[in-house]
C-alpha cells in the first residue's frame, strides 16, 4: 500500500478546484542545470542509459524535490522512448540532440512498424513510474507524459531535430495518407503507453506538442489536434479513486488555445509568448492553465525573478485553475538558486489570488 497523498494542490488546481496557493513545478526540472543530475548521468554512462535504468531515473526524478518545495514530480524519461521502442534506433549525440538512425519516410517503411507493448519494450519506464511512486511516499503527485503524435513524428521522419521540418511537411503535402498512417500508429502507441503509466501510478499526464505550431492552423487541426483528441478520448479517467487530470501543451499555440479547450482535457500549457490574461479569455473557465514565465527570466537576479513571478500571477488573476510553470523547459545554464527564488516567490505571492477553501 502506498501512503496517502499529502499535497494534492497541483491535482486540485488542474481541476479548477479551490486551493490555498498556486502550485508550481518546472518543465525539465530534473536536468543538466543541477550538478547532482550531471553526476548521476555520468554514473549511468549516457542519457539513454539513465532513462532505461529505473533506479537512476527515480534518483534524478527526486533530485529537484530534495532541493526545492515543488508541488509535483515529473517522471524522468523522454518523448522519444516510443520511436526507440519501435526499433528506429535512437541516439543522443552530446550537444547535438537526438538522432533517429532509421528514419521513416515511405508508406512501406510505415507499414513495417508495430505498436510497442508498454509492458515489454517500454517496461523500464513503467518500472520507473512504480519505483518513483514508492519513493515519493505521497509527498507530491507524479506526472506521467508522452509526446504528441505530430511532435514525435517530426523526429521519426526528419531523423532528429529540425529547423524547417522540410521532410515531414513535404510528406504531409505529397503523401498525407502515409503521414496519417504513421500518426495513427503513434496515437495507438501513446494511448497504451500513457494508460500503462497511469496503471503504474502516474497521477496526472501531460502531452508535449512542442512542434504543433510549425503547422498552418488548418494542418494543425488535421495533423496534431485531432490525434491529441484521440489520445485524451482513449485515456483512463480515474485511478485509485481519483481523477487523473490531463494537460496538453502545444508550444506556440497562441489563439489555437481556444480550439484546444474543446478537447476532453483538464488543463492547457501556455508558453511565454502568450499573455495569460489573453489565454484565459480564449479558454474561458473551462480549463486550467499551466505556465508561463519566460525561462530566461531565471538568468536575472532573484529580485527581478520575484517581480516577474508577480507579473505572471497578476496576469492570470484571481481564482483557481492556475498551475505556475515556465513557458518551456529550464535552460541547462540556469543557477539552481534562481529556480529556488522563483518557487519561493510563487508560494509567497500567490495566496492573495485565492480565497481560503
Ligand atoms: O521535465 C522533466 O524534468 C522530465 C524529463 C523530460 C525530458 N525530456 C528529459 C530530457 C521531458 C518531459 C522531456 C520531453 C521532451 N523530449 C520533449 C518535449 C518537451 C520540450 O522540451 O519541448 C522533446 C521535444 C524531447 C526530445 C529531446 N530530448 C530533445 C530535443 C533533447 C535534446 C535537447 C536537449 O535539451 O538537450 C532531449 C534530451 C533530454 N531529454 C534531456 C533531458 C534532461 C537532456 C539530455 C542530457 O542529459 O544531455
Amino acid at each position: 500500500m502506498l501512503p496517502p497523498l499529502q499535497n494534492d494542490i497541483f491535482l486540485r488546481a488542474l481541476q479548477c478546484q479551490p486551493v490555498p496557493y498556486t502550485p508550481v513545478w518546472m518543465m525539465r526540472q530534473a536536468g543538466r542545470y543541477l550538478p547532482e543530475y550531471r553526476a548521476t548521468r555520468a554514473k549511468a554512462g549516457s542519457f539513454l542509459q539513465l532513462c532505461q535504468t529505473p533506479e537512476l531515473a527515480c534518483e534524478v526524478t527526486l533530485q529537484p524535490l530534495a532541493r526545492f518545495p515543488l508541488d509535483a514530480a515529473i517522471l524522468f524519461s523522454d518523448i522519444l522512448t516510443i520511436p526507440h521502442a519501435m526499433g528506429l534506433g535512437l541516439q543522443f549525440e552530446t550537444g547535438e540532440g537526438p538522432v533517429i538512425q532509421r528514419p521513416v519516410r515511405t508508406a512501406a517503411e510505415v507499414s513495417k512498424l508495430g505498436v510497442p507493448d508498454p509492458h515489454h519494450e517500454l517496461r523500464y519506464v513503467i518500472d520507473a513510474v512504480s519505483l518513483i511512486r514508492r519513493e515519493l511516499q505521497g509527498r507530491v503527485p507524479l506526472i506521467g507524459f508522452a509526446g504528441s503524435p505530430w511532435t514525435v513524428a517530426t523526429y521519426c521522419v526528419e531523423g532528429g531535430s529540425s529547423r524547417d521540418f522540410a521532410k515531414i511537411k513535404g510528406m504531409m503535402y505529397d503523401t498525407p495518407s502515409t503521414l496519417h498512417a504513421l500518426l495513427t500508429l503513434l496515437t495507438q502507441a501513446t494511448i497504451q503507453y500513457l494508460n500503462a503509466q497511469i496503471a503504474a501510478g502516474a497521477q496526472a499526464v501531460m502531452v508535449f506538442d512542442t512542434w504543433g505550431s510549425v503547422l498552418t492552423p488548418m494542418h494543425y487541426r488535421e495533423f496534431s489536434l485531432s490525434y491529441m483528441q484521440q489520445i485524451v478520448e482513449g485515456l483512463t479517467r480515474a485511478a485509485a479513486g481519483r481523477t487523473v487530470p490531463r494537460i496538453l501543451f502545444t508550444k506556440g499555440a497562441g489563439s489555437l488555445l481556444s480550439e484546444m479547450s474543446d478537447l476532453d482535457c483538464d488543463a492547457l500549457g501556455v508558453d511565454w509568448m502568450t499573455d495569460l490574461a489573453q489565454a484565459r479569455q480564449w479558454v474561458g473557465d473551462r480549463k486550467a492553465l499551466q505556465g508561463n514565465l519566460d525561462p530566461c527570466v531565471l538568468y536575472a537576479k532573484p529580485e527581478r525573478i520575484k517581480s516577474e513571478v508577480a507579473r505572471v500571477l497578476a496576469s492570470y488573476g484571481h481564482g483557481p485553475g492556475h498551475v505556475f510553470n515556465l513557458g518551456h523547459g529550464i535552460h541547462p545554464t540556469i543557477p539552481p538558486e534562481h529556480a529556488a527564488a522563483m518557487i519561493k516567490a510563487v508560494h509567497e505571492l500567490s495566496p492573495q489570488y485565492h480565497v481560503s477553501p
Side-chain angles (χ1 to χ4, degrees):
M1 271 295 279
L2 292 166
L5 194 53
Q6 292 148 34
N7 172 355
D8 65 354
I9 301 217
F10 168 68
L11 297 181
R12 285 197 274 141
L14 287 176
Q15 293 169 87
C16 296
Q17 293 166 3
V19 286
Y21 64 86
T22 305
V24 52
W25 70 279
M26 293 182 292
M27 288 190 266
R28 294 273 171 101
Q29 64 191 21
R32 286 163 294 182
Y33 75 107
L34 293 178
E36 58 271 35
Y37 168 84
R38 297 195 296 268
T40 310
R41 195 182 83 150
K43 191 163 77 180
S46 70
F47 171 69
L48 261 187
Q49 270 306 116
L50 178 53
C51 292
Q52 290 179 291
T53 313
E55 293 71 24
L56 298 181
C58 175
E59 185 177 306
V60 294
T61 299
L62 300 178
Q63 284 170 349
L65 289 125
R67 270 191 189 251
F68 316 121
L70 291 155
D71 295 292
I74 181 162
L75 162 71
F76 188 83
S77 188
D78 199 79
I79 64 165
L80 300 177
T81 50
I82 288 184
H84 177 60
M86 285 172 152
L88 301 188
L90 173 66
Q91 276 184 348
F92 282 87
E93 315 280 350
T94 326
E96 281 182 41
V99 175
I100 298 278
Q101 287 156 310
R102 290 175 289 283
V104 186
R105 294 184 182 149
T106 64
E109 283 161 356
V110 173
S111 70
K112 286 195 204 109
L113 301 176
V115 173
D117 178 350
H119 299 286
H120 186 233
E121 291 94 335
L122 291 161
R123 171 87 195 239
Y124 61 90
V125 180
I126 305 310
D127 287 347
V129 171
S130 316
L131 188 60
I132 296 163
R133 271 303 301 278
R134 219 167 51 228
E135 297 291 319
L136 270 174
Q137 299 191 305
R139 280 163 61 199
V140 292
L142 175 64
I143 308 166
F145 74 91
S148 75
W150 164 259
T151 291
V152 174
T154 65
Y155 292 94
C156 297
V157 175
E158 298 290 334
S161 301
S162 176
R163 260 175 202 283
D164 50 13
F165 300 90
K167 294 187 183 72
I168 190 164
K169 289 181 85 173
M171 182 195 264
M172 177 179 85
Y173 288 114
D174 257 344
T175 53
S177 59
T178 304
L179 182 54
H180 277 304
L182 175 60
L183 292 169
T184 300
L185 195 78
L186 290 171
T187 300
Q188 288 163 356
T190 305
I191 293 170
Q192 291 188 23
Y193 181 51
L194 286 176
N195 280 340
Q197 292 184 30
I198 293 170
Q203 290 147 299
V205 289
M206 176 152 168
V207 177
F208 287 89
D209 185 30
T210 308
W211 303 119
S213 67
V214 306
L215 294 165
T216 70
M218 185 181 91
H219 292 97
Y220 171 73
R221 282 173 208 120
E222 180 176 347
F223 291 92
S224 187
L225 192 67
S226 66
Y227 290 97
M228 290 200 279
Q229 177 169 4
Q230 290 178 40
I231 290 173
V232 289
E233 284 168 1
L235 289 182
T236 310
R237 197 65 189 109
R242 256 197 117 116
T243 298
V244 180
R246 303 96 179 251
I247 312 162
L248 300 181
F249 175 53
T250 292
K251 183 166 168 264
S255 62
L256 291 167
L257 284 166
S258 148
E259 291 179 46
M260 294 176 78
S261 67
D262 291 332
L263 267 49
D264 189 12
C265 62
D266 300 275
L268 298 173
V270 183
D271 60 59
W272 71 93
M273 287 135 342
T274 295
D275 186 75
L276 271 185
Q278 174 70 73
R280 213 174 168 186
Q281 272 180 10
W282 280 325
V283 169
D285 283 331
R286 291 178 291 172
K287 309 288 174 193
L289 296 177
Q290 177 174 275
N292 72 342
L293 189 78
D294 181 351
C296 290
V297 165
L298 300 186
Y299 286 116
K301 290 182 189 63
E303 313 82 75
R304 187 61 202 272
I305 293 170
K306 189 169 179 183
S307 66
E308 293 295 325
V309 165
R311 217 204 320 230
V312 169
L313 289 170
S315 74
Y316 184 84
H318 289 268
H322 184 205
V323 171
F324 200 100
N325 205 315
L326 300 171
H328 199 203
I330 187 168
H331 296 170
T333 49
I334 296 291
E337 316 81 72
H338 289 193
M342 179 195 87
I343 294 157
K344 184 159 174 269
V346 175
H347 286 157
E348 268 174 26
L349 300 173
S350 65
Q352 60 181 304
Y353 292 98
H354 302 275
V355 285
S356 22

